[in-house]
Amino acid sequence: MADGAGGAEPAGEPARGAPPPDPADQLRSAAYLRLLLLAAVVGAPISAAAYYFLHLVDAIQEWVYTDLPRALGFSGTPLWWPLPLLGIAGLLVGLMVRHLPGGGGHSPLAGFASGHTPHPADLPGILLAAITSLGLGAVLGPEAPLIALGGGLAVLAVRLSRRDVPDRALAVVASAGSFAAISALLGSPVLGAFLLMESAGLGGPILGLVLLPGLLASGIGALVFVGLNQLSGLGTAALELPGLPPFAHPDIAQFGWALVIGVLAAFLGSGIRRLGTVLSGYVERRIVLLTTAVGLGVAVLAMIYTAVTGHGVIDVLGSGEEDVGLLLQRSADYSVGALLLLVACKGLAYSLSLSAFRGGPVFPAIFIGAAGGVAMSHLPGLPMVAGVAMGIGAMSVVMLKLPLTSVMLATLLMFEDGLAVTPIVIVAVVVAHVVSARLGPRPPAPQRPPGDRGTTAAPAREQRPAT
């Protein structure tokens, strides 16, 4: 999202010393209506581009891991197959990060809040790095590149049509483009809008003015996704968890499991993030060589999992967006040991990918949380639906630091079971959020100006409220 989106206004910059504009007056203004129309116009083509981007990534991954081995005469995907693919992916992404404008986009460790609207010259590098990373099997999701590309394309379209658009209006348009790009990716345009809103820290009276164009673009984008599904025959391009068993209501035992899952997710997710952060410091020093090494490391983890369990390498590789539903449908085919090894290998591959490749942090967290929930559902008193929902919510909040979005994500993905599991998901998310905050590094203490010896606070009885 654009920097400063949290304070974006559709009008121009207010004069120095002038009172801030009234949001109600802006909502009635002709300029704001034009901004809504622009958001609607921009949202449709950006959503269409996002739809085909997602299918392109899926098609590349299907071709290189399934179709190409068969075309070369193999009966299936050979165990060693990920090594050359991810080695090449690491080499190419490392070269893109070093040499292309914009460095192929920001690191997935930065999440969403620290992103910015890319310059038009950065867009090709972001697109190529994302397609290479995701298409060849890096353990990342497509949402962060889509947000950057959607915002950048929206701003580019406005600047090509007009040159006198105020910076704050551009920030709102960039937000609308980002909303449109992920409008249906998470299963609901409202959830995508909520993710962007919470990650940007929007609030106050101006919230509605900034959010409304994005919601409009997101709703139109969702219609574009539905229409393209019907016209293209490519199928949906959004996360789906079909065929879940019915869930009546939580009980006391499941509230106890919510505490356990929250704590376990906090340790697991914090470890994944900490390892990725440490490794990224080394990768940045020799980006091409070490990104290639990271790709080979991800491949080795997938090979270990397949050699031990007999399940396909694709369980470990990729975002898991298309595979989490299959995992739940075929959960009876996975032993507890296989699920635990899957969580371990996917988690380590996730850390490696976070340190070097380009993508988003959402979908691998969802997959790991779901796999962990399925594994724990073998324990007494924990149905699979409850375990999966709490695992998704808890892992998402540890990796994203967005508690409200994580609750909505876990509950909406459960479809009819969503309302029933909401109370225990909230408990798991809150516990995971608080514990992971305790496990994370402390923020640095504020620096005192040179020569400032500090002041001693007055005793509480001497303090007076300001008049």
Side-chain angles (χ1 to χ4, degrees):
M1 285 192 63
D3 285 343
E9 298 177 18
E13 298 285 346
R16 186 181 298 273
D22 183 4
D25 289 340
Q26 289 198 344
L27 185 62
R28 292 190 294 266
S29 68
Y32 188 74
L33 292 178
R34 289 194 296 270
L35 185 62
L36 287 174
L37 178 61
L38 179 61
V41 171
V42 167
I46 289 178
S47 298
Y51 177 88
Y52 285 110
F53 168 85
L54 292 170
H55 280 295
L56 175 62
V57 168
D58 291 340
I60 292 173
Q61 192 173 101
E62 178 74 15
W63 183 76
V64 298
Y65 281 100
T66 302
D67 298 338
L68 183 58
R70 291 175 180 171
L72 294 176
F74 296 102
S75 59
T77 303
L79 181 64
W80 52 266
W81 191 256
L83 273 175
L85 291 177
L86 280 157
I88 293 171
L91 175 62
L92 293 178
V93 171
L95 291 170
M96 293 172 191
V97 172
R98 169 174 283 184
H99 296 293
L100 293 182
H106 68 271
S107 167
L109 285 167
F112 306 110
S114 60
H116 64 279
T117 302
H119 190 272
D122 301 341
L123 297 180
I126 294 173
L127 178 64
L128 290 174
I131 288 176
T132 304
S133 297
L134 304 177
L136 295 184
V139 186
L140 295 170
E143 66 286 343
L146 280 178
I147 289 170
L149 290 169
L153 288 173
V155 171
L156 176 61
V158 172
R159 284 178 171 166
L160 289 175
S161 61
R162 293 183 59 189
R163 296 181 179 274
D164 58 346
V165 181
D167 289 342
R168 292 190 175 184
L170 281 177
V172 177
V173 172
S175 297
S178 297
F179 277 53
I182 63 166
S183 55
L185 177 61
L186 300 175
S188 167
V190 174
L191 181 53
F194 208 90
L195 183 149
L196 292 176
M197 178 186 71
E198 190 178 14
S199 65
L202 299 178
I206 204 68
L207 170 61
L209 293 178
V210 179
L211 188 59
L212 197 58
L215 283 174
L216 178 61
S218 184
I220 291 174
L223 291 176
V224 170
F225 268 56
V226 172
L228 289 175
N229 285 339
Q230 296 175 347
L231 291 175
S232 67
L234 294 175
T236 60
L239 179 64
E240 292 184 336
L241 301 181
L244 294 173
F247 180 82
H249 56 79
D251 55 27
I252 296 299
Q254 291 160 31
F255 274 96
W257 282 120
L259 301 176
V260 174
I261 290 174
V263 172
L264 291 177
F267 278 92
L268 176 60
S270 297
I272 290 171
R273 177 176 287 277
R274 181 71 62 86
L275 178 59
T277 302
V278 171
L279 292 175
S280 69
Y282 294 99
V283 170
E284 290 171 0
R285 300 173 192 173
R286 305 188 68 179
I287 189 70
V288 177
L289 176 63
L290 293 183
T291 304
T292 305
V294 163
L296 294 174
V298 172
V300 169
L301 289 166
M303 293 164 58
I304 291 172
Y305 167 77
T306 297
V308 173
T309 67
H311 293 288
V313 294
I314 206 64
D315 282 358
V316 172
L317 302 179
S319 67
E321 174 191 355
E322 298 291 332
D323 303 311
V324 64
L326 295 175
L327 174 68
L328 300 184
Q329 290 177 349
R330 302 173 182 172
S331 58
D333 298 336
Y334 290 79
S335 66
V336 174
L339 290 167
L340 294 178
L341 185 61
L342 174 57
V343 169
C345 291
K346 187 90 171 182
L348 288 172
Y350 188 19
S351 287
L352 290 172
S353 299
L354 286 169
S355 72
F357 285 103
R358 293 297 183 259
V362 174
F363 287 98
I366 292 174
F367 186 94
I368 292 171
V374 174
M376 293 192 66
S377 68
H378 289 80
L379 297 171
L382 183 60
M384 187 181 75
V385 168
V388 168
M390 290 188 286
I392 289 174
M395 278 300 301
S396 297
V397 77
V398 176
M399 300 307 300
L400 305 182
K401 308 301 181 186
L402 304 175
L404 300 180
T405 298
S406 299
V407 170
M408 289 187 65
L409 178 62
T411 54
L412 288 178
L413 289 180
M414 295 297 107
F415 292 98
E416 293 86 353
D417 299 329
L419 287 177
V421 299
T422 298
I424 52 178
V425 168
I426 291 173
V427 174
V429 166
V430 170
V431 170
H433 192 43
V434 172
V435 174
S436 64
R438 301 278 297 181
L439 294 174
R442 292 181 178 274
Q447 298 293 325
R448 290 177 179 174
D452 184 6
R453 299 180 180 179
T455 58
T456 303
R461 60 183 177 84
E462 296 181 2
Q463 294 177 355
R464 298 284 191 274
T467 57

